[in-house]
Amino acid sequence: QTCALPICHGDAPKVVMAPTSIEDCFYSMITARKIAETFGMPVVVLSDASLATAQQPFPRPASAILCGDFNDVPNSFAYYHIGEDMQDAFRSKGSGLDRTYLGISPTLRIDYIFCDPGFDILAYDRINKQLSDHYPIMADLFLRPHSPE
């Protein structure tokens, strides 16, 4: 028998979530964070290799922010498809040649902050601290209020 969490005498309640699809996993992570912050308790989200390596399209939320190390340059196929219909914070508020990766090339930008057009990008900055093999990047975003139609 397999147990996700051992139960001990005096244990506090725990929340365990087991999403069944990629879309369910996406929204479960949002819910898990809200539960953890609201109740100050651990939330465990279970997954397996088939879910972690699967591909499944689902509608993007109306106000999405997508950040990450995409291991690809701005003129790549992946960049255009990942950031399709989204704003690139560096292109909006950055300047010059940006470098987010410390190795290989002095001008290699492979880390990105994308957001939906419903956001105003107020600022973009690369922090010049070597905390890993990537420089940290940050952006100030403002979500414009949605006007009812």
Side-chain angles (χ1 to χ4, degrees):
Q1 180 177 357
T2 305
C3 181
L5 292 173
I7 299 172
C8 299
H9 177 71
D11 262 356
K14 297 176 185 81
V15 175
V16 179
M17 302 173 76
T20 58
S21 69
I22 293 174
E23 182 175 11
D24 188 24
C25 193
F26 178 84
Y27 290 106
S28 292
M29 294 307 294
I30 295 168
T31 303
R33 180 173 177 182
K34 287 179 183 178
I35 292 170
E37 289 177 348
T38 302
F39 298 105
M41 63 188 300
V43 178
V44 177
V45 180
L46 302 176
S47 185
D48 61 19
S50 63
L51 183 60
T53 59
Q55 293 183 11
Q56 174 193 33
F58 65 91
R60 188 171 69 210
S63 302
I65 300 170
L66 178 62
C67 310
D69 169 8
F70 300 140
N71 283 327
D72 227 334
V73 294
N75 62 345
S76 69
F77 176 85
Y79 172 89
Y80 282 104
H81 285 279
I82 291 171
E84 188 174 16
D85 301 324
M86 298 185 90
Q87 303 177 82
D88 178 343
F90 172 76
R91 285 197 173 178
S92 177
K93 293 294 180 179
S95 62
L97 296 173
D98 196 25
R99 174 185 186 193
T100 63
Y101 182 63
L102 296 171
I104 304 173
S105 170
T107 59
L108 193 57
R109 182 166 77 101
I110 60 174
D111 303 282
Y112 303 94
I113 300 172
F114 292 110
C115 62
D116 280 323
F119 287 89
D120 290 327
I121 301 172
L122 306 176
Y124 171 91
D125 193 23
R126 183 193 76 189
I127 301 163
N128 287 318
K129 287 190 178 183
Q130 291 186 340
L131 303 173
S132 74
D133 58 339
H134 295 256
Y135 286 111
I137 58 174
M138 66 180 207
D140 290 332
L141 307 174
F142 174 75
L143 178 60
R144 292 188 297 277
H146 184 285
S147 58
E149 303 193 20

